[in-house]
Amino acid sequence: MSARAALAALLLAACGRAPPAHPNVVVWLVDTLRADHLGCYGEPRQTSPRLDALADDGVLFENVHAASNWTQPAVAALLSGRLPGAFDASFGSPLPAGLPLLAERFAQAGYATAGYTCTVATAARFGFARGFHEYDELDELLDMEARRKREDAVYGADRLVDAATRFLQRRAQPATAAPDTRPFFLWLHSVDPHAPYGGRTSGESFAGPYDGPIDGSVESIANAGRNGYEYTEADRQHVEDLYDDDVRFNDQQLGRLVDELGRLGLLADTLIVVVADHGEELWERGALGHGNTDLHAELTHVPLVMHWPEGLPDGLRVPALVGGVDLAPTLLELCGLLPLPEADGVSRAGLARGAGGAGAAALLLDRCRPQDPAGALRTADWLLHGGDDPAQAGLFDLRNDPGERRDLSGVHEEDAARMSEALTGLRARRDAAWTAVGGGGAAVPPDAATLEKLRALGYLGEGQ
């Protein structure tokens, strides 16, 4: 705990102020956002000044890893506190019917619950709307050809903030009833900086002059893959520049939302949470995208920042290992609500409050695609990557090799075997628990309209 955070906690106690029992909660979920492309996590570019300010005045978790490397299982973990099991790669697997979800718990506790998503991957048809009194899919009225060609910012986070603002204003000034005084749980799933890259810039671009074939669109990337195109260094830099443009645009829209909360007098009593479902590989292992067999840090290390002036210290950085699966238990404890039953995640509320506590001993990371499996086990010191067969897995010393480049499985054979055995056990228990709540059943193919939207996002064989 930093001296600044300790002082804040002492002042709070000295003043006799207790945090509100049931604060408002806003979760700003950013799809495909790597932690290391944010200023508060060390990015030198000015990609995230508004998030950096929230972190300065709040709590930043330094070492958070997603449960999976693509959206549906990763968000399932965030919403349930459960390790996700099998998901069909063609988006035919809804959330298990018996899986308790975070929004359900908030609704049961008397919260007004609203969710807005910019991606069909978390559409109501897949079960992600359960527990929300209001759930809107902002991509329902999109021109998919415009999306494919990046001619319309229809997936931009500005649309998400517009929807959230309307929700907040309706509560404050309803047309036919008294103001809604219930606390609210607001879940906002933005997709900047998911591919296509660079379609939603605001202000000067990070990208310099470029005359290559990769314009950031899903179409240009898919064409490159189909034609066996070999990316040049200029191509790779251009894509990364466009990715950072989208990170900055998303941050600007987060700032708009924070400003609106302040204008409505809600900021002090609102727990703002910024998190990502997973990261994005930018050729660290030779590929672009996510959802592949890579479970290294570029795809699992995600941001987690919490800001709540009435209930959390400011300037606190938490180095402990934490999983995306820990988010739901942590939020419920911070809000004084009952935990979800049989959660795999653990509440890290004590860490968030600066009161101490331990991080995770080990995290199971999984692709969650049984037809083409990939798994990993991460501890504070080691990463076992590549599956539960020691002969096929790589072992990486995170203390001395933070880039996860040097496979030491041949040097530390006993450690690799021990972690492999632990990984096998965790997967078996996870699979049994997932089946018990109704997961792992036969896939139900999405309808034609949903498939078209998924293709426009770059899924279904055209890149992630």
Side-chain angles (χ1 to χ4, degrees):
M1 184 177 185
S2 69
R4 182 182 178 189
L7 178 60
L10 287 172
L11 289 174
L12 194 66
C15 294
R17 281 197 351 249
H22 302 304
N24 304 311
V25 179
V26 175
V27 177
W28 180 262
L29 170 61
V30 189
D31 208 298
T32 321
L33 178 61
R34 298 167 55 131
D36 63 354
H37 277 245
L38 299 165
C40 50
Y41 286 88
E43 167 61 54
R45 284 176 159 177
Q46 292 296 306
T47 57
S48 56
R50 297 305 301 263
L51 177 59
D52 300 347
L54 288 179
D56 285 344
D57 294 331
V59 180
L60 181 147
F61 288 81
E62 296 178 343
N63 196 17
V64 178
H65 289 266
S68 188
N69 64 0
W70 62 290
T71 297
Q72 286 195 327
V75 176
L78 294 173
L79 281 171
S80 70
R82 292 284 192 96
L83 291 169
F87 276 81
D88 182 70
S90 297
F91 290 80
S93 302
L95 293 179
L99 183 69
L101 298 179
L102 186 60
E104 293 176 310
R105 177 64 83 228
F106 275 105
Q108 292 162 0
Y111 273 68
T113 58
Y116 302 96
T117 179
C118 288
T119 171
V120 68
T122 52
R125 63 179 62 87
F126 298 125
F128 289 91
R130 289 211 319 264
F132 289 103
H133 298 123
E134 177 180 336
Y135 195 83
D136 282 352
E137 300 162 26
L138 303 184
D139 63 341
E140 283 291 341
L141 302 177
L142 299 183
D143 180 335
M144 301 316 298
E145 188 66 17
R147 171 63 176 172
R148 199 176 278 116
K149 294 181 178 179
R150 297 169 52 245
E151 292 176 347
D152 189 347
V154 287
Y155 275 85
D158 51 345
R159 304 294 178 91
L160 198 65
V161 176
D162 292 345
T165 298
R166 289 191 293 270
F167 167 79
L168 294 171
Q169 292 177 347
R170 283 199 310 271
R171 286 175 46 82
Q173 298 175 329
T176 59
D180 189 346
T181 58
R182 294 176 296 170
F184 59 82
F185 173 68
L186 182 57
W187 179 273
L188 304 170
H189 187 162
S190 61
V191 296
D192 326 278
H194 193 291
Y197 308 107
R200 296 165 294 278
T201 57
S202 179
E204 185 177 352
S205 172
F206 289 116
Y210 171 77
D211 59 2
I214 310 299
D215 62 5
S217 66
V218 169
E219 187 174 14
S220 70
I221 295 167
N223 285 338
R226 284 191 291 264
N227 298 328
Y229 177 76
E230 293 189 10
Y231 287 87
T232 68
E233 181 57 36
D235 297 330
R236 290 191 288 269
Q237 185 60 57
H238 185 62
V239 169
E240 185 166 346
D241 292 341
L242 296 178
Y243 177 89
D244 284 346
D245 280 346
D246 286 346
V247 174
R248 181 168 59 183
F249 178 81
N250 189 282
D251 184 75
Q252 291 166 343
Q253 300 311 311
L254 170 64
R256 279 185 59 214
L257 178 63
V258 172
D259 291 343
E260 182 64 17
L261 290 167
R263 190 185 71 80
L264 294 172
L266 297 171
L267 200 55
D269 192 19
T270 296
L271 169 58
I272 300 173
V273 180
V274 180
V275 68
D277 56 349
H278 55 76
E280 184 83 327
E281 184 179 349
L282 297 171
W283 293 283
E284 284 84 0
R285 320 283 159 179
L288 170 66
H290 55 272
N292 53 27
T293 56
D294 180 4
L295 290 161
H296 285 278
E298 58 269 13
L299 274 171
T300 67
H301 184 208
V302 295
L304 177 58
V305 171
M306 297 183 177
H307 179 274
W308 180 19
E310 292 293 329
L312 293 177
D314 64 341
L316 176 63
R317 296 183 72 97
V318 178
L321 180 65
V322 172
V325 74
D326 297 329
L327 179 68
T330 301
L331 295 186
L332 290 172
E333 182 175 347
L334 287 174
C335 296
L337 305 185
L338 293 174
L340 292 167
E342 300 181 12
D344 297 303
V346 175
S347 172
R348 308 299 176 186
L351 292 172
R353 291 172 175 143
L363 295 176
L364 172 64
L365 316 175
D366 204 299
R367 193 184 187 197
C368 299
R369 292 183 179 178
Q371 68 275 26
D372 189 13
L377 188 68
R378 179 178 287 270
T379 72
D381 298 328
W382 295 96
L383 172 68
L384 180 82
H385 187 286
D388 48 15
D389 180 357
Q392 302 297 323
L395 184 67
F396 301 89
D397 179 353
L398 301 178
R399 298 292 186 186
N400 298 306
D401 178 24
E404 303 168 13
R405 294 292 181 179
R406 297 187 296 275
D407 178 8
L408 299 179
S409 57
V411 179
H412 299 276
E413 294 182 2
E414 292 186 2
D415 291 322
R418 174 180 49 80
M419 291 187 68
S420 180
E421 182 179 359
L423 174 60
T424 301
L426 282 172
R427 276 177 151 175
R429 290 193 292 274
R430 183 274 316 273
D431 290 343
W434 196 249
T435 300
V437 295
V444 179
D447 58 34
T450 301
L451 287 171
E452 183 64 16
K453 291 176 182 178
L454 290 165
R455 289 190 185 97
L457 268 172
Y459 293 110
L460 307 183
E462 296 186 6
Q464 293 294 329

